C-alpha cells in the first residue's frame, strides 16, 4: 500500500463517526438510553482514533535525522497502537461500566423513537464507511483472505479502520436490539445488557488491534513473495554466486531494510566485487521498490562450515568441492569431518555495514 493508502477510508470513517456521535448523544439526551450513551462515546473514540491515524501518517513522512537515521516510518505503527489503547479504555471500559450500572439500576426508555431513528441512520452511515474501507483494502489485499490481510498487512491504517467499522456495525445492532427489547418488555435491564455487550465487543477488538500492531512495532520481515524476488535479484550467476544468509526488516510500511551475506568467487578483485554489489542493489530495488536500505557483505562460501552449522547455506549452488578442505585432501585436511573444520575467514565488506550472522532465513510471520 502506498504512503497515502487508506487515507480515503480514514477520512470517510472520521466524517461518519463525527456525525454519528452527535446524533447518538442527542438521542441519549431525549431517551436516557445507556446504549445510546455508550454508542456516542464509542463513536467519539473512533473519531479520535481516525485523527490519530492521520497524525501518525503525517509524522511518518519526516526526513531521517542523525538521531533517527532510518527515518520515522514506524510512527504509523505507534499511533495505530495508541488507537487500540483508546478503543479499549475510552470505548470498551466505559461501555462495560455504563452497562453494569444500567443493569443494577434500570429505568424505562423515554422517547424510544429517537434512539431507534438514530441507530438506523448510524447503521447506514457506518455501512458507507465500511464499504469504503473494503474497497480500499481490495486494491492491496490480492488473494489473501480477510483474516490473512489483517494479520499480514504492513500498513496498519486499513486493518484498523476495517476492524473499527466492523465492530461499530455489530455494536449498533446490539444497541438496537437492547433498545428494542427494553421498549417491548418495558424492562430497562435489556438496555444495560446491550450496553455491556457493546463494551465487551470493543475490548475484544482493541486486544486484537494491540496484538497486531505490537508485532509491527517489534519489526516484521518482508512477505514471502518479496523475499523470493530479492533472492532472485541478488544472484547474477557470475560474481555473486549465491546467498549465504539474508535478513529483511520493515522500517515502516513502505520502507524495507535488506541485509545479506553473499557468496562471491575466491579470485574476484575488490573492484569486481564492489561493482557486483552495486549491480545487485540496483536489481533488488527494481524488483522490490520499497527496499530502500540495502547492506550486502561479500564472503567466500565454505561448505564444511555450512555442514557444521556455522554457515547456513547448506546447498549453495556456487559451492566448489575443490575449494572445500573437507572434500579435498590436497588442501591438507585428510578428509577430516566438517565439525573439526575452522570457520571460513570473512573478508572486509565493501558495504556500509555488516548483516547479522544468525542462520535462519526470514519467513513472513504475519504478525
Amino acid at each position: 500500500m502506498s504512503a497515502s493508502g487508506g487515507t480515503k477510508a480514514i477520512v470517510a470513517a472520521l466524517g461518519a463517526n463525527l456525525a454519528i456521535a452527535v446524533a447518538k448523544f442527542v438521542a441519549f439526551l431525549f431517551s436516557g438510553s445507556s446504549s445510546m450513551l455508550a454508542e456516542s462515546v464509542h463513536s467519539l473514540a473512533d473519531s479520535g482514533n481516525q485523527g490519530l491515524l492521520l497524525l501518525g501518517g503525517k509524522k511518518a513522512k519526516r526526513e531521517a535525522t542523525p538521531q533517527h537515521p532510518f527515518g520515522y516510518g514506524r510512527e504509523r505503527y505507534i499511533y495505530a497502537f495508541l488507537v487500540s489503547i483508546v478503543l479499549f479504555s475510552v470505548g470498551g471500559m466505559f461501555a462495560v461500566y455504563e452497562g453494569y450500572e444500567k443493569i443494577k439500576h434500570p429505568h424505562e426508555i423515554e422517547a424510544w423513537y429517537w434512539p431507534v431513528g438514530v441507530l438506523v441512520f448510524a447503521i447506514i452511515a457506518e455501512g458507507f464507511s465500511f464499504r469504503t474501507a473494503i474497497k480500499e483494502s481490495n486494491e492491496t489485499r490480492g488473494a489473501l483472505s480477510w483474516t490473512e490481510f489483517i494479520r499480514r498487512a504492513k500498513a496498519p491504517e486499513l486493518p484498523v479502520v476495517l476492524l473499527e467499522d466492523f465492530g461499530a456495525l455489530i455494536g449498533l445492532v446490539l444497541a438496537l436490539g437492547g433498545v428494542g427489547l427494553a421498549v417491548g418488555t418495558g424492562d430497562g435491564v435489556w438496555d444495560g445488557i446491550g450496553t455491556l455487550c457493546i463494551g465487551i465487543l470493543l475490548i475484544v477488538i482493541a486486544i486484537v488491534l494491540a496484538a497486531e500492531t505490537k508485532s509491527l512495532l517489534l519489526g516484521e520481515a518482508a512477505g514471502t513473495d518479496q523475499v523470493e524476488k530479492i533472492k532472485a535479484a541478488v544472484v547474477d550467476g557470475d560474481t555473486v554466486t549465491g546467498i549465504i544468509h539474508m535478513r529483511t526488516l520493515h522500517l515502516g510500511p513502505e520502507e524495507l531494510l535488506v541485509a545479506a551475506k553473499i557468496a562471491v568467487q575466491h579470485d574476484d578483485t575488490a573492484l569486481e566485487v564492489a561493482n557486483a554489489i552495486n549491480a545487485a542493489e540496483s536489481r533488488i530495488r527494481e524488483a522490490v521498490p520499497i527496499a530502500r536500505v540495502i547492506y550486502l557483505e561479500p564472503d567466500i562460501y565454505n561448505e564444511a562450515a555450512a555442514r557444521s552449522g556455522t554457515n547456513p547455506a547448506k546447498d549453495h549452488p556456487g559451492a566448489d568441492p575443490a575449494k572445500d578442505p573437507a572434500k579435498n585432501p590436497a588442501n591438507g585436511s585428510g578428509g577430516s569431518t566438517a565439525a573439526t573444520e575452522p570457520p571460513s575467514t570473512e573478508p572486509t565488506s565493501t558495504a556500509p555495514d555488516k548483516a547479522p550472522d544468525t542462520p535462519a532465513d526470514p519467513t513472513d510471520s504475519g504478525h
Side-chain angles (χ1 to χ4, degrees), residues 15-323:
N17 281 317
L18 285 174
I20 291 170
V22 173
K24 287 175 180 176
F25 191 72
V26 171
F28 160 71
L29 293 178
F30 279 93
S31 67
S33 168
S34 65
S35 292
M36 294 309 303
L37 178 58
E39 275 296 307
S40 63
V41 173
H42 173 195
S43 294
L44 188 62
D46 281 353
S47 300
N49 289 340
Q50 275 101 51
L52 286 173
L53 292 177
L54 291 173
L55 180 61
K58 182 178 180 180
K59 284 183 171 291
K61 296 178 182 179
R62 288 180 294 172
E63 296 293 331
T65 64
Q67 187 176 6
H68 298 92
F70 291 113
Y72 293 86
R74 290 194 180 184
E75 289 267 18
R76 290 166 68 178
Y77 300 153
I78 294 171
Y79 280 86
F81 188 76
L82 290 177
V83 164
S84 65
I85 296 174
V86 171
L87 192 64
F88 176 86
S89 59
V90 178
M93 295 304 293
F94 176 82
V96 167
Y97 171 78
E98 185 66 20
Y100 172 75
E101 286 296 317
K102 188 60 180 286
I103 292 173
K104 284 186 64 179
H105 309 288
H107 63 79
E108 186 177 351
I109 294 179
E110 303 170 0
W112 59 268
Y113 42 84
W114 273 99
V116 170
V118 167
L119 287 171
V120 171
F121 162 73
I123 289 173
I124 295 172
E126 286 287 359
F128 169 77
S129 174
F130 192 43
R131 178 178 174 274
T132 303
I134 289 174
K135 184 178 178 180
E136 289 270 296
S137 300
N138 282 333
E139 295 178 2
T140 57
R141 184 167 64 96
L144 296 175
S145 68
W146 287 108
T147 301
E148 291 173 331
F149 174 71
I150 290 172
R151 288 181 58 82
R152 298 184 182 182
K154 306 305 179 186
E157 291 85 358
L158 280 175
V160 168
V161 174
L162 279 169
L163 286 174
E164 276 190 350
D165 287 349
F166 179 70
L169 285 170
I170 295 179
L172 289 168
V173 172
L174 291 173
L176 189 60
V179 171
L181 287 172
V183 172
T185 62
D187 188 353
V189 168
W190 288 107
D191 187 32
I193 292 175
T195 306
L196 187 63
C197 291
I198 292 169
I200 294 172
L201 171 69
L202 294 179
I203 290 173
V204 170
I205 292 175
I207 291 173
V208 172
L209 282 177
E212 299 305 318
T213 52
K214 171 178 171 287
S215 179
L216 291 169
L217 280 171
L218 287 175
E220 289 191 356
T224 304
D225 56 337
Q226 292 177 321
V227 170
E228 294 305 317
K229 289 179 181 179
I230 293 170
K231 286 182 177 179
V234 169
V235 180
D236 62 7
D238 183 14
T239 303
V240 181
T241 60
I243 298 174
I244 297 174
H245 64 75
M246 184 177 76
R247 298 288 181 271
T248 61
L249 178 68
H250 269 274
L251 301 175
E254 282 84 40
E255 189 168 14
L256 186 66
L257 181 148
V258 178
K261 180 177 283 189
I262 57 176
V264 297
Q265 302 291 351
H266 74 287
D267 54 354
D268 288 333
T269 66
L271 179 61
E272 289 173 331
V273 172
N275 289 336
I277 288 176
N278 291 334
E281 289 179 353
S282 297
R283 293 194 299 270
I284 292 172
R285 291 189 173 95
E286 183 177 354
V288 183
I290 67 171
R292 300 177 186 174
V293 182
I294 303 173
Y295 298 103
L296 301 179
E297 177 188 0
D299 198 359
I300 306 299
Y301 177 78
N302 186 300
E303 188 174 351
R307 290 202 309 274
S308 69
T310 59
N311 189 326
K314 296 185 178 181
D315 297 312
H316 174 57
D320 185 355
K323 304 170 189 172

